[in-house]
Amino acid sequence: MAGSGALLRQCPLLLPQNREGTAYEGFVTAQGRDFHIRVLLPMDLQLKNARIECSWHLKKILHGYRHILKQRLQSCPDLASFMVELKTILEIALKNTQDLHIPRPPEYYSCLVRDLEILGWNKVAYVDTGLTTIKLKAEDSCGRQHLITLKLNAKYPTEPPDCLVDFPVQFAISWMPQNSLTDVYDQFLAALESLKEFWDAMDEIDGKTWVLEPENPTRSATTRRIAIGSNVSVTIEVDPRHPDMLPECYFLGADHAVNPLRIKLNNNMHLWDPEIGLLQNLKDLLEIDFPSRAVLEKSDFAKDCGICYAYRLDGATPDQVCDDPRCGQPFHQACLYEWLQGLPSSRQSFHVIFGECPYCNKVRKANENE
């Protein structure tokens, strides 16, 4: 998670409610108005599993933007980044809510219908009854389907529409009063092609390996947790602007299983070849073949937590593994922390607690802020 300083700068009225940093409450400010909000994070602080609670008034304003907010929760790296996105979306929503009460001049409708006819109705996926929200569909050169949502205000085309897309990078359009929806669409297509290599790399990983998380990745998601073996996986963070470069890699599993992989990665970094693709490079550097989707099932890697006997707990999967090679039992971080807390023999140092594995008695540690 980003430091509390970044969050304080972005949302000075949103304050932590507990020592663990899993609950925040206060106000988010947009267009000079304060809206009450509460953010609840799971014990592992994974933003994608956060719960957002707000007043009925704010809920009503953001109603049409729920799917966008869900995407942002999936893709934002920390709470401070998400709050920036939330404020931006809230600004757009407030502006559009105000615009609903501004009567559109006749030329607004004639101009908009003309633009849609020039663009082609076959590219329109949705138009609301007030002609203020339009969704356009596009297919990139690899046949992937994409949507762009346009929110038009009463001054269109003097002022540009607000554009919402499922991208891993910011999408901003260049606009002049004489521009039209065709210009927006052309810029959208150009942006799709600029992200082609990134999506090619992610699609290859999704198609040829067992991705444990996220379950249903959005086009904006830049991380993948890939199964390597039973209770061993690697999480990669890919730079969407440079998908042919070595991604950030984080290994999950018992020390005896992941330490050799870390050593191979460090020793073989110099072998990374931008010409041969992300997945093949990972195989070469780690000196492994990722388990094949054709031979094995996801259940071969998706082992249930040894404490709660479930695979998913509040959206989280088991990411703690006993280091004893003869044991290797996986646990949810929250389950393990709670288990160790209940042991009379456990000891705690700051946020780290030490105690015995429920299965083999080997000393384990759990961090409440992991």
Side-chain angles (χ1 to χ4, degrees):
M1 296 289 289
S4 57
L7 184 61
L8 188 63
R9 283 192 299 275
Q10 298 298 340
C11 293
L13 300 179
L14 187 68
L15 300 173
Q17 301 298 300
N18 59 13
R19 188 168 58 88
E20 294 79 14
T22 58
Y24 290 82
E25 188 167 5
F27 297 89
V28 58
T29 304
Q31 293 198 0
R33 297 164 62 186
D34 294 331
F35 298 90
H36 183 256
I37 189 170
R38 193 161 184 249
V39 182
L40 300 174
L41 299 167
M43 282 297 293
D44 60 7
L45 301 182
Q46 290 291 310
L47 197 63
K48 62 187 177 184
N49 300 319
R51 194 163 84 246
I52 310 296
E53 297 178 354
C54 55
S55 64
W56 69 269
H57 181 51
L58 180 56
K59 194 176 291 185
K60 186 178 178 183
I61 293 170
L62 294 173
H63 178 73
Y65 302 82
R66 287 176 302 173
H67 67 291
I68 297 164
L69 287 170
K70 191 173 180 182
Q71 286 176 0
R72 296 301 182 258
L73 277 174
Q74 291 280 339
S75 58
C76 285
D78 52 59
L79 184 56
S81 302
F82 172 72
M83 292 307 296
V84 172
E85 297 274 8
L86 175 61
K87 286 169 73 173
T88 302
I89 293 167
L90 183 54
E91 292 275 357
I92 293 171
L94 285 169
K95 189 168 72 171
N96 287 322
T97 302
Q98 292 160 3
D99 282 343
L100 289 176
H101 305 296
I102 301 173
R104 261 66 170 169
E107 53 268 25
Y108 168 89
Y109 297 101
S110 58
C111 176
L112 183 55
V113 171
R114 185 195 70 229
D115 281 359
L116 289 170
E117 286 177 345
I118 294 171
L119 178 65
W121 289 99
N122 61 318
K123 296 182 176 70
V124 179
Y126 168 83
V127 181
D128 71 340
T129 53
L131 290 182
T132 59
T133 300
I134 298 169
K135 292 184 180 182
L136 304 176
K137 56 187 176 181
E139 189 176 280
D140 64 27
S141 58
C142 291
R144 289 178 286 251
Q145 300 294 319
H146 303 269
L147 284 176
I148 179 170
T149 301
L150 308 178
K151 301 280 186 180
L152 292 87
N153 64 42
K155 294 182 180 178
Y156 176 85
T158 305
E159 292 185 3
D162 291 311
C163 303
L164 302 162
V165 292
D166 185 13
F167 281 5
V169 295
Q170 189 176 9
F171 175 67
I173 60 168
S174 173
W175 184 265
M176 297 181 72
Q178 63 267 31
N179 285 151
S180 68
L181 295 186
T182 303
D183 297 294
V184 175
Y185 195 76
D186 289 342
Q187 292 179 55
F188 180 51
L189 291 176
L192 292 180
E193 289 312 300
S194 73
L195 290 164
K196 175 186 177 299
E197 289 184 14
F198 168 73
W199 285 323
D200 284 348
M202 302 311 260
D203 283 354
E204 184 182 20
I205 287 168
D206 292 339
K208 294 184 178 179
T209 70
W210 280 116
V211 174
L212 303 179
E213 293 183 281
E215 267 194 302
N216 300 298
T218 62
R219 286 294 174 199
S220 58
T222 58
T223 62
R224 296 292 190 274
R225 181 180 166 204
I226 309 169
I228 295 176
S230 179
N231 301 331
V232 183
S233 60
V234 60
T235 297
I236 61 169
E237 174 80 37
V238 183
D239 183 346
R241 291 297 189 198
H242 305 284
D244 55 349
M245 304 303 288
L246 176 64
E248 294 284 342
C249 297
Y250 308 94
F251 294 99
L252 292 168
D255 288 345
H256 72 274
V258 301
N259 283 343
L261 293 169
R262 289 194 185 104
I263 291 169
K264 286 176 183 176
L265 180 65
N266 289 330
N267 290 345
N268 295 336
M269 270 186 192
H270 66 285
L271 299 176
W272 186 272
D273 182 357
E275 301 297 321
I276 65 171
L278 177 60
L279 184 57
Q280 188 58 50
N281 268 307
L282 288 173
K283 290 179 181 179
D284 292 346
L285 265 63
L286 299 176
E287 299 175 16
I288 59 169
D289 273 323
F290 289 100
S292 168
R293 294 176 68 93
V295 178
L296 297 166
E297 297 295 326
K298 191 172 182 178
S299 57
D300 293 322
F301 314 104
K303 303 297 183 184
D304 292 343
C305 169
I307 294 172
C308 73
Y309 305 113
Y311 181 60
R312 291 202 172 271
L313 178 68
D314 296 330
T317 58
D319 59 358
Q320 303 291 310
V321 180
C322 180
D323 289 333
D324 192 324
R326 295 165 298 178
C327 178
Q329 180 65 46
F331 309 100
H332 293 115
Q333 191 274 336
C335 292
L336 183 60
Y337 185 82
E338 190 174 333
W339 168 273
L340 297 180
Q341 258 193 328
L343 292 178
S345 58
S346 67
R347 56 188 177 83
Q348 187 158 357
S349 175
F350 297 103
H351 297 306
V352 182
I353 192 166
F354 299 85
E356 295 176 347
C357 169
Y359 284 75
C360 69
N361 297 330
K362 180 181 173 66
V363 173
R364 289 283 300 133
K365 69 176 181 178
N367 189 326
E368 66 178 323
N369 286 327
E370 280 185 357

